[in-house]
Amino acid sequence: MTPGAVAADPAPARPRRRRRKTPRRIAARALLYTLVIVLAAIFVAPLLWGFFGSLREVHEGVTGPVIPHPAHWDNYRFAWSTLFPFSHYLWNTVVLTFLATVPAVITSALAGYAFARIRARGRNTFFLFVLGTTFIPFAIIFIPFFWVAVHLGMYSTRWPWLIWGVSGSAFLIFLFRQFYAGFPTELDDAAAIDGCGHLRTFLHIYLPNSAAPLAVGLILLGTGWWGEYIWASLLLPDRLAPLGVKVATGYNDPGQQIPLVPATLAGALMFTLPAVLVFFLLQKKVTRGIVTTGLKG
């Protein structure tokens, strides 16, 4: 081996020192783990209570032992197919969530790219104006939007959800803008040399590398629209209503007109389960998206 080759070899990495486990550090870590376990128990407890409550006898309330015996699993079949077509309203929820979420994420990504990478006069002022819309209270826009929806013939249709989707989200625009601001400018220069305009640059370079903020946007908007109640109950007829509206009204015994609490809890858990599963499937990308956005720009 020549001296030049020896000089080119990288220096050996130094072994990483392990921190000593002092009583103070052990106590701090134990306190941190205890706090995490307590917070997890606070968030999980309502789900467990609802699950065990859904296994009670269908005419029984919420009184009695925490874990019922025997468990009445038929409550889930009752909630699915007895008083109303559960699958029909579930499909309505999927359609409404898709219309309001997927276009909003795409248009927000486009707007975030424009604010981050396209230099134009008044760009920062308009960006502050977009962020300012997040401070408008819901009570101010509720009546005007309802008036506009009625007079444009969008009442009892899904068009408002599509309009909300195309309009984007101010928070997601901010999220994508901060994420794209950290991209190196050499990517734009290379794309310009290849003859790419802004749209092709966004579609071929920026969007394929945006898995983390895309996952954050889909989760945040999707879970919000999945459980939407006010607009759905106000603008949509029963045949287009989402499942959340039907479950929120509860299950009542047709003969005695008394609430069937276990069946209502079973329907609510089945309604919540898809959103929870999607979150667990995308949780790594969601965490990465929250960590990697907002660091630059």
Side-chain angles (χ1 to χ4, degrees):
M1 183 179 292
T2 61
V6 174
D9 290 339
R14 295 181 178 180
R16 189 175 181 180
R17 292 183 179 180
R18 294 183 178 180
R19 294 183 177 181
R20 293 182 178 180
K21 295 182 178 180
T22 61
R24 184 177 180 180
R25 289 177 178 172
I26 294 175
R29 179 161 296 187
L31 180 62
L32 178 62
Y33 286 165
T34 303
L35 179 62
V36 170
I37 292 173
V38 171
L39 292 176
I42 292 174
F43 283 103
V44 173
L47 293 176
L48 291 178
W49 179 87
F51 172 71
F52 290 129
S54 67
L55 299 179
R56 301 179 187 274
E57 200 275 327
V58 69
H59 289 91
E60 187 178 0
V62 295
T63 59
V66 177
I67 301 178
H69 183 77
H72 296 272
W73 295 97
D74 289 343
N75 291 337
Y76 287 88
R77 181 183 57 81
F78 180 89
W80 179 271
S81 60
T82 303
L83 298 182
F84 59 84
F86 194 95
S87 58
H88 170 76
Y89 294 103
L90 179 62
W91 174 249
N92 288 345
T93 306
V94 173
V95 172
L96 292 174
T97 303
F98 179 86
L99 290 177
T101 302
V102 175
V105 173
I106 296 176
T107 54
S108 298
L110 281 168
Y113 168 80
F115 282 121
R117 313 306 292 186
I118 300 177
R119 298 190 177 275
R121 182 176 298 178
R123 178 186 64 174
N124 294 332
T125 302
F126 189 65
F127 178 66
L128 292 177
F129 173 77
V130 172
L131 289 183
T133 60
T134 59
F135 297 97
I136 300 177
F138 176 76
I140 294 179
I141 65 173
F142 181 77
I143 296 178
F145 188 88
F146 177 76
W147 185 88
V148 170
V150 171
H151 284 76
L152 291 182
M154 294 186 296
Y155 185 75
S156 297
T157 67
R158 294 190 177 113
W159 280 105
W161 275 255
L162 183 59
I163 292 176
W164 284 319
V166 175
S167 302
S169 168
F171 174 75
L172 291 186
I173 291 174
F174 169 77
L175 194 72
F176 281 105
R177 188 258 184 190
Q178 297 301 101
F179 184 74
Y180 291 147
F183 278 49
T185 57
E186 289 78 8
L187 294 176
D188 298 335
D189 298 336
I193 293 174
D194 291 338
C196 295
H198 287 296
L199 183 59
R200 287 185 61 188
T201 302
F202 170 76
L203 293 177
H204 293 280
I205 296 178
Y206 284 82
L207 190 61
N209 293 285
S210 306
L214 287 174
V216 173
L218 290 174
I219 288 295
L220 291 181
L221 280 186
T223 52
W225 284 114
W226 184 268
E228 215 292 316
Y229 176 80
I230 297 178
W231 286 118
S233 59
L234 184 67
L235 295 176
L236 294 177
D238 183 76
R239 61 183 178 85
L240 298 178
L243 184 59
V245 174
K246 301 298 292 185
V247 173
T249 58
Y251 290 78
N252 295 318
D253 191 332
Q256 303 178 8
Q257 292 298 321
I258 59 175
L260 305 177
V261 177
T264 302
L265 291 174
L269 287 176
M270 288 191 294
F271 168 68
T272 308
L273 186 60
V276 174
L277 291 178
V278 171
F279 173 78
F280 278 110
L281 290 176
L282 299 178
Q283 62 174 336
K284 291 185 178 180
K285 292 186 180 296
V286 171
T287 305
R288 190 181 309 163
I290 294 175
V291 171
T292 57
T293 51
L295 300 180
K296 295 184 180 181

